[in-house]
Amino acid sequence: MAKEKMVKEITSMEEDFAKWYTDVCLKAELIDYASVKGCMIIRPYGYAIWENIQSIVDGLFKEKGHENVYMPLFIPESLLQKEKDHVEGFAPEVAWVTMGGDEPLEERLCVRPTSETLFCDHFKNIVHSYRDLPKLYNQWCSVVRWEKTTRPFLRSREFLWQEGHTLHATAEEAKAETEQQLNIYADFAEKYLCMPVIKGQKTEKERFAGAEATYTIEALMHDGKALQSGTSHFFGDGFSRAYDVTYTDKDNKQIYPFQTSWGISTRLIGAIIMAHGDDSGLVLPPAVAPIQTVIIPIATHKEGVLQKANEITERLKKVCRVKMDATDQTPGWKFSEYEMKGVPLRLEIGPRDIENNQCVVVRRDNGEKIVVGLDELETRIPEILKEYADGLYSKALDRKINMTYDAKNLDEMKEIAENKPGFIRAMWCGDRACEDELKEVAGVTSRCIPFEQEHISDTCVCCGKKAEKMLYWGKAY
Amino acid sequence: MAKEKMVKEITSMEEDFAKWYTDVCLKAELIDYASVKGCMIIRPYGYAIWENIQSIVDGLFKEKGHENVYMPLFIPESLLQKEKDHVEGFAPEVAWVTMGGDEPLEERLCVRPTSETLFCDHFKNIVHSYRDLPKLYNQWCSVVRWEKTTRPFLRSREFLWQEGHTLHATAEEAKAETEQQLNIYADFAEKYLCMPVIKGQKTEKERFAGAEATYTIEALMHDGKALQSGTSHFFGDGFSRAYDVTYTDKDNKQIYPFQTSWGISTRLIGAIIMAHGDDSGLVLPPAVAPIQTVIIPIATHKEGVLQKANEITERLKKVCRVKMDATDQTPGWKFSEYEMKGVPLRLEIGPRDIENNQCVVVRRDNGEKIVVGLDELETRIPEILKEYADGLYSKALDRKINMTYDAKNLDEMKEIAENKPGFIRAMWCGDRACEDELKEVAGVTSRCIPFEQEHISDTCVCCGKKAEKMLYWGKAY
């Protein structure tokens, strides 16, 4: 009864995917709306997911020698303007500070939408010789982009992210960094978020403002839309030239160093929701789940139940993130509450279980009930979590495979785009006009030129001229 | 030689304490100046100190049941204005966003100087019943206060901090929270930063804007000035009333809940610099030092030296944060470099040491050289770090005791304030006029009404009327 009531509170995916998404964000207590339009409050349960993401990714960065720094929140307008493409890309969507207390500022300040310009300004101060390179920097912070249309996690006026900014003596080294970081993102998405991704390069049209090359990981959501989930940019020496950053090499020559930047954001929480969630709510990958196992004692008034549940909780604390819920809500209410919150495993323990020296473990993803002997808890729970994670990944992979279509010509492209949500693989001549056209007539944008190329046809899906590359296309968040 | 050269680059404390401070900030590579006046760039070495502070303090908070959240960066002007005292206190020093892209905003947004107003607005949404209380929230973020005069870490227009915001059913519970958090700050300062503090209450004049009571920890810097190092505020139900936050109690009555907030910031890095530093640079407490032991191999061209240094590094990684510097700089250059950076222990290992199966460990605080057998490294290094931390604390404690003076009347107060840098303990009638007067004639402000009261005299140090309380006075950052 209680369960039905809870479940009814979420719109089903079928009925209205966008509404389902917002319902999950609010009902699983990930966010609350804020008094400033387009901004969000990240509540403890949502923030704990972000903390887990941070902790894993930060470790992966540090293993590769990256150091964290903190740059100011504000960028003077004149500093932002030094790189022409960059300012054109960002100026239309920045928030401007014009007053400090009661006094108008001499120069208005932009609230950082991204910090390339600040890093360049700093690099100029601290990099002089080849001995000072490379600089492998990262920062965790919030950024602001004054978007018109917003959605929690996916597109909000302020969001949390990390932005890596590195400076290298050679273009080769910078390119290798760009690639290394994209691989870290892809591995993180697949291994920790159980979310398969396509790795590839963005077309010129979709490139980051000021970059020579932008690499991306693209994931497929439940509704067949693509989500750009992490990007890595190679800047060449363009920013160095614009900001006059130079170093003296071993032969005493002045060289413009080569720069990269790369980032992932709280958008990944949106990706998790839409990649794994179902009509009962969130389904969390164990690596980032704030609670990995919730213990629900059954018939708590019976002698020994609470004591046993407490004992199990203490034991499991050593092998996973565990919570015991001994509140006076009904088991049914608790079941649906933790389903809504996407807790991977529910462990039920009642008088009869105790008698049999066992408990029942229920998987959130498929409802499977597993009887586990109490003596083998510490080994079985991590195993089941691993099986659960593998299950999430293969389910998402199957979906990606089943929802990826090939189009050989414009008619096929239009037909698929209209009727079959998912990725569309199709050849492209390399011409931006064809990208514009496909957006216009089929409503799809190029997601990326995947590193793993395949031959779908000889000619461009749009204009019919000789094809250069295979692209992934799709509707995107 | 190399060492002398390095040391000469810092101004001595005696000569110019303020210049010494800035030199340390820059030369130890804690910060760089930013393009926005009054803001700072926190460099990897400075940020690593902050990460260590965060990690320890965050753990202490979570042990007490606090959860992290993230509130928006912006506060609509109308929201800020709901609590009269609060807006009066902060409005003169906030940065205002007035434009989003090319469009003027309908309502200007303040960049958060602190987030009580945002938390209240959120609490109003999520707190309804006594079952929803307490809320024990914290956030790590940056805040902006448009100060006229700025100094790295001590007073900058943007700084990093944590702000705890909690909501409780009763005033008693909220007061207990305020006290608990102040104690956490004091313990953290003393045990981890090796910095003795005075715990006490602020006078009404020095209270946080909108608070009923503000508690503080005050530390003494090398130059005898006080530094407010952490504060904890009890708001009563004032904010709840202003923001219309209520809950239904067990008897179905509507009650205004009671609120607290508490914070520490990157200012603590300034405190560390000024509490422990010396003319050779930083002196870091081990708990927050990015490198606890630096290993300097001597005569690296000799066979076996580098190999042994590497072996020791690997072994010590298990017991402390260790770095080995095998670059081609001279040992002298390295000695002064890591002295400047305040690394607690330097471990020297050369051919003769290896022959004798030993190494030389040098303490940064007092230069003491300790011969340590290579077989006992894993036990001795943590012991020496502990002794070093205890040494830092007692040195700072001695200084505090030696630089604390008692004043019985205005003449004594003026004489001490003029000639003896440090804390001044003196009685006070409770009248704000006397605080204003003492600021005027002696240049001192009330630091706090310490919890540990002592009787210095019967009468107020300023007006001579009957005294109510013993206060700590001083010049402050």
Side-chain angles (χ1 to χ4, degrees):
Chain A
M1 280 286 287
K3 179 168 174 184
E4 277 170 29
K5 183 172 160 286
M6 287 287 293
V7 172
K8 273 183 192 151
E9 289 181 36
I10 331 186
T11 311
S12 80
M13 287 183 168
E14 278 290 306
E15 196 184 322
D16 183 342
F17 191 80
K19 181 76 168 44
W20 168 85
Y21 177 79
T22 315
D23 281 355
V24 172
C25 287
L26 291 169
K27 298 279 164 64
E29 300 187 348
L30 302 177
I31 64 132
D32 189 17
Y33 290 117
S35 49
V36 178
K37 195 183 159 301
C39 291
M40 62 180 166
I41 291 164
I42 307 181
R43 300 186 64 181
Y45 198 66
Y47 198 79
I49 297 173
W50 182 239
E51 284 183 313
N52 290 333
I53 292 174
Q54 283 190 298
S55 148
I56 298 165
V57 173
D58 197 66
L60 297 173
F61 294 165
K62 282 179 177 160
E63 264 175 32
K64 299 286 181 192
H66 298 96
E67 300 179 293
N68 286 336
V69 300
Y70 188 77
M71 291 284 154
L73 177 62
F74 300 126
I75 308 170
E77 186 165 18
S78 56
L79 188 71
L80 187 70
Q81 283 174 337
K82 285 190 181 175
E83 214 289 335
K84 194 179 59 63
D85 293 337
H86 190 69
V87 67
E88 268 178 29
F90 282 103
E93 57 177 40
V94 300
W96 292 103
V97 173
T98 58
M99 304 274 296
D102 293 331
E103 288 168 27
L105 301 183
E106 279 177 35
E107 178 180 15
R108 57 183 194 161
L109 304 172
C110 136
V111 183
R112 68 178 160 227
T114 179
S115 307
E116 278 74 10
T117 56
L118 294 167
F119 275 89
C120 280
D121 200 39
H122 178 49
F123 286 147
K124 186 180 156 63
N125 274 346
I126 61 164
V127 170
H128 308 290
S129 142
Y130 67 93
R131 289 173 201 269
D132 300 326
L133 294 174
K135 289 290 180 212
L136 306 175
Y137 286 171
N138 177 59
Q139 82 173 346
W140 293 96
C141 64
S142 84
V143 286
V144 169
R145 297 176 187 178
W146 218 248
E147 308 268 5
K148 304 267 182 223
T149 317
T150 59
R151 299 187 62 190
F153 297 120
L154 300 177
R155 197 171 289 279
S156 55
R157 286 184 167 174
E158 181 193 9
F159 56 91
L160 302 181
W161 79 346
Q162 62 66 219
E163 45 179 324
H165 295 269
T166 68
L167 199 66
H168 304 266
T170 66
E172 292 62 43
E173 215 185 289
K175 278 178 189 164
E177 168 80 13
T178 315
E179 199 179 304
Q180 169 190 286
Q181 294 310 107
L182 191 80
N183 284 331
I184 286 181
Y185 291 157
D187 288 352
F188 173 71
E190 304 204 329
K191 286 187 197 143
Y192 295 90
L193 305 185
C194 310
M195 190 172 75
V197 293
I198 310 286
K199 286 193 281 188
Q201 185 171 358
K202 287 282 182 191
T203 61
E204 195 182 337
K205 180 182 177 183
E206 301 289 335
R207 220 178 258 165
F208 182 82
E212 279 192 18
T214 288
Y215 302 94
T216 179
I217 54 170
E218 301 279 327
L220 191 66
M221 302 294 101
H222 236 299
D223 60 347
K225 282 196 192 163
L227 189 78
Q228 176 181 307
S229 304
T231 49
S232 183
H233 315 290
F234 170 65
F235 290 113
D237 60 3
F239 270 88
S240 291
R241 288 176 187 274
Y243 287 82
D244 199 24
V245 184
T246 62
Y247 74 95
T248 311
D249 74 1
K250 287 184 183 171
D251 305 324
N252 216 26
K253 275 196 305 190
Q254 290 289 305
I255 310 276
Y256 291 108
F258 296 83
Q259 202 171 339
T260 84
S261 80
W262 27 272
I264 54 170
S265 73
T266 37
R267 184 167 233 226
L268 283 179
I269 299 176
I272 293 167
I273 300 169
M274 293 194 296
H276 302 304
D278 63 23
D279 282 345
S280 303
L282 265 183
V283 177
L284 290 177
V288 299
I291 306 164
Q292 293 172 316
T293 307
V294 62
I295 296 174
I296 314 269
I298 310 290
T300 47
H301 57 284
K302 292 277 175 68
E303 208 193 311
V305 170
L306 267 182
Q307 193 191 343
K308 188 53 99 178
N310 273 319
E311 184 197 311
I312 292 174
T313 308
E314 288 311 309
R315 283 171 56 194
L316 284 183
K317 269 184 189 167
K318 288 171 196 128
V319 297
C320 68
R321 290 187 287 271
V322 63
K323 175 186 167 172
M324 201 257 281
D325 186 342
T327 57
D328 59 4
Q329 302 281 7
T330 65
W333 187 94
K334 291 178 191 174
F335 292 178
S336 54
E337 171 71 8
Y338 295 103
E339 278 176 15
M340 170 78 84
K341 290 198 156 177
V343 175
L345 304 182
R346 174 175 88 225
L347 189 157
E348 305 169 12
I349 178 106
R352 225 168 318 164
D353 298 310
I354 296 171
E355 234 167 71
N356 298 325
N357 196 38
Q358 66 180 40
C359 64
V360 177
V361 173
V362 184
R363 272 173 63 162
R364 169 65 181 90
D365 60 332
N366 58 12
E368 190 191 343
K369 293 192 175 201
I370 305 158
V371 174
V372 176
L374 292 186
D375 299 333
E376 46 176 14
L377 271 180
E378 285 91 341
T379 49
R380 280 299 284 143
I381 294 293
E383 279 168 15
I384 299 173
L385 282 170
K386 174 77 174 63
E387 289 156 20
Y388 167 96
D390 292 345
L392 281 199
Y393 181 78
S394 44
K395 201 166 163 187
L397 186 61
D398 285 350
R399 187 182 322 116
K400 194 194 85 171
I401 293 167
N402 292 333
M403 293 174 90
T404 299
Y405 304 92
D406 292 352
K408 295 198 181 61
N409 54 50
L410 195 53
D411 284 342
E412 282 183 22
M413 178 66 111
K414 286 200 279 193
E415 197 273 328
I416 298 167
E418 200 176 320
N419 302 309
K420 297 172 183 164
F423 281 133
I424 308 170
R425 307 193 308 171
M427 306 306 285
W428 177 57
C429 61
D431 207 334
R432 180 167 171 161
C434 287
E435 279 183 276
D436 293 338
E437 171 91 8
L438 285 173
K439 168 91 182 155
E440 180 80 22
V441 303
V444 297
T445 54
S446 73
R447 304 315 310 146
C448 68
I449 309 160
F451 295 152
E452 291 185 14
Q453 284 284 307
E454 278 180 61
H455 184 83
I456 312 288
S457 63
D458 294 330
T459 54
C460 173
V461 70
C462 185
C463 66
K465 286 187 202 147
K466 189 168 178 302
E468 273 199 351
K469 296 268 167 54
M470 187 265 273
L471 260 66
Y472 273 83
W473 305 82
K475 293 170 185 167
Y477 277 97
Chain B
M1 279 287 286
K3 180 169 174 184
E4 276 169 27
K5 183 172 161 284
M6 286 287 294
V7 171
K8 272 184 193 149
E9 289 181 36
I10 332 185
T11 311
S12 80
M13 284 183 171
E14 277 290 308
E15 195 185 323
D16 184 341
F17 191 80
K19 183 78 168 42
W20 167 85
Y21 177 80
T22 314
D23 282 355
V24 172
C25 286
L26 291 168
K27 300 277 164 65
E29 301 188 346
L30 301 178
I31 64 133
D32 188 18
Y33 289 117
S35 50
V36 178
K37 194 183 159 301
C39 292
M40 61 180 168
I41 291 163
I42 307 181
R43 299 187 65 181
Y45 197 67
Y47 198 78
I49 297 173
W50 182 238
E51 284 182 312
N52 290 334
I53 292 174
Q54 283 191 297
S55 149
I56 298 165
V57 173
D58 196 66
L60 297 173
F61 294 165
K62 282 179 177 159
E63 262 175 31
K64 299 287 181 191
H66 298 97
E67 300 179 294
N68 286 335
V69 299
Y70 188 76
M71 290 284 153
L73 176 63
F74 301 126
I75 308 170
E77 186 166 18
S78 56
L79 188 69
L80 188 70
Q81 283 175 337
K82 284 190 182 174
E83 214 289 333
K84 192 180 59 64
D85 293 336
H86 191 69
V87 67
E88 267 178 29
F90 283 103
E93 56 177 40
V94 299
W96 292 104
V97 173
T98 58
M99 303 274 295
D102 294 332
E103 288 169 27
L105 301 183
E106 279 177 34
E107 177 179 15
R108 57 183 194 162
L109 303 172
C110 136
V111 183
R112 66 177 162 226
T114 180
S115 308
E116 278 75 9
T117 55
L118 294 166
F119 276 88
C120 280
D121 200 39
H122 179 48
F123 287 147
K124 186 180 154 63
N125 274 345
I126 62 165
V127 171
H128 308 290
S129 142
Y130 67 94
R131 288 174 200 269
D132 300 325
L133 294 174
K135 289 290 180 210
L136 306 175
Y137 286 171
N138 177 58
Q139 82 173 347
W140 294 94
C141 64
S142 84
V143 286
V144 169
R145 297 177 187 178
W146 219 248
E147 309 269 5
K148 303 269 183 222
T149 317
T150 59
R151 301 187 61 191
F153 297 120
L154 299 177
R155 196 171 292 278
S156 56
R157 286 183 168 176
E158 182 193 9
F159 56 90
L160 302 181
W161 79 346
Q162 62 66 218
E163 47 179 323
H165 295 269
T166 68
L167 199 66
H168 305 264
T170 66
E172 291 63 42
E173 216 184 289
K175 279 179 191 165
E177 168 80 13
T178 316
E179 198 179 306
Q180 169 189 287
Q181 294 311 106
L182 192 80
N183 284 331
I184 286 181
Y185 290 157
D187 289 350
F188 173 71
E190 304 205 328
K191 287 187 194 143
Y192 295 91
L193 305 185
C194 310
M195 190 172 75
V197 293
I198 311 285
K199 287 193 281 187
Q201 185 170 359
K202 287 283 182 190
T203 60
E204 194 180 338
K205 181 182 177 183
E206 303 288 336
R207 219 177 260 166
F208 182 83
E212 277 192 20
T214 288
Y215 302 94
T216 180
I217 53 170
E218 301 278 327
L220 192 66
M221 302 294 102
H222 236 300
D223 60 347
K225 282 197 194 164
L227 189 78
Q228 176 182 306
S229 305
T231 50
S232 183
H233 315 290
F234 171 66
F235 290 113
D237 61 3
F239 271 88
S240 292
R241 287 176 187 274
Y243 287 82
D244 200 23
V245 183
T246 61
Y247 74 95
T248 311
D249 73 1
K250 287 184 183 169
D251 305 325
N252 217 26
K253 275 197 304 190
Q254 291 289 304
I255 311 277
Y256 290 107
F258 296 82
Q259 202 172 340
T260 84
S261 80
W262 27 273
I264 53 170
S265 74
T266 36
R267 183 167 235 226
L268 283 179
I269 299 176
I272 293 168
I273 299 170
M274 293 195 296
H276 301 305
D278 62 25
D279 282 346
S280 303
L282 265 183
V283 176
L284 289 177
V288 300
I291 306 164
Q292 293 171 317
T293 306
V294 63
I295 296 174
I296 315 269
I298 310 290
T300 47
H301 56 285
K302 293 276 175 67
E303 208 193 311
V305 170
L306 267 182
Q307 193 191 340
K308 187 54 96 177
N310 272 321
E311 183 197 312
I312 291 175
T313 307
E314 288 311 309
R315 282 171 57 194
L316 283 183
K317 269 185 190 166
K318 289 169 197 130
V319 297
C320 68
R321 290 186 288 271
V322 63
K323 175 185 167 170
M324 201 258 281
D325 186 342
T327 56
D328 58 4
Q329 303 281 7
T330 64
W333 187 92
K334 291 178 191 173
F335 292 177
S336 55
E337 171 71 7
Y338 295 103
E339 277 176 15
M340 171 78 84
K341 291 199 156 174
V343 175
L345 305 182
R346 173 174 88 224
L347 189 157
E348 305 169 14
I349 178 106
R352 226 170 317 164
D353 298 311
I354 296 171
E355 236 167 70
N356 298 324
N357 197 39
Q358 65 180 41
C359 63
V360 177
V361 173
V362 184
R363 272 174 63 162
R364 169 64 182 89
D365 60 332
N366 59 10
E368 189 190 346
K369 292 189 175 201
I370 304 158
V371 174
V372 176
L374 293 186
D375 298 334
E376 46 176 14
L377 271 180
E378 285 93 339
T379 50
R380 280 299 285 144
I381 294 293
E383 279 170 13
I384 298 172
L385 282 170
K386 174 78 174 61
E387 288 157 21
Y388 167 95
D390 292 345
L392 281 199
Y393 180 78
S394 43
K395 201 167 162 185
L397 186 61
D398 285 350
R399 186 181 324 115
K400 193 194 85 173
I401 292 168
N402 292 332
M403 294 175 89
T404 299
Y405 304 92
D406 292 353
K408 296 200 179 61
N409 54 49
L410 196 52
D411 284 342
E412 284 183 20
M413 178 66 111
K414 286 200 278 193
E415 197 274 328
I416 298 167
E418 202 177 322
N419 303 309
K420 297 173 183 161
F423 280 133
I424 308 170
R425 306 193 308 170
M427 307 305 285
W428 177 55
C429 61
D431 207 335
R432 181 168 170 160
C434 287
E435 279 183 275
D436 293 339
E437 171 89 9
L438 284 174
K439 168 91 182 157
E440 180 81 21
V441 302
V444 297
T445 54
S446 73
R447 303 317 310 149
C448 68
I449 309 159
F451 294 152
E452 290 184 14
Q453 284 285 308
E454 279 180 58
H455 184 83
I456 311 289
S457 63
D458 295 329
T459 54
C460 174
V461 69
C462 184
C463 65
K465 285 187 201 145
K466 188 166 179 303
E468 275 200 348
K469 297 267 166 58
M470 188 265 273
L471 260 66
Y472 273 82
W473 304 82
K475 293 171 184 168
Y477 279 97

